[in-house]
Amino acid sequence: MSVLAFEIFFLVLLGIASLSMAWFAGFVVYRLFKGQQ
């Protein structure tokens, strides 16, 4: 495998990880505000 393929693979992995973390953070904040009412 070339270096470029590794780079693309890890960039995609990083994107998926950051998207899932952002979704989870938004979900937690949503549940917090929903629980306050």
Side-chain angles (χ1 to χ4, degrees):
M1 263 175 94
S2 62
V3 177
L4 183 65
F6 266 116
E7 207 171 326
I8 291 169
F9 173 72
F10 280 111
L11 275 173
V12 168
L13 213 62
L14 187 70
I16 291 170
S18 52
L19 273 173
S20 60
M21 277 189 275
W23 177 86
F24 188 72
F27 181 70
V28 167
V29 170
Y30 166 75
R31 288 290 302 266
L32 271 172
F33 278 111
K34 196 181 172 193
Q36 279 183 350
Q37 294 173 0

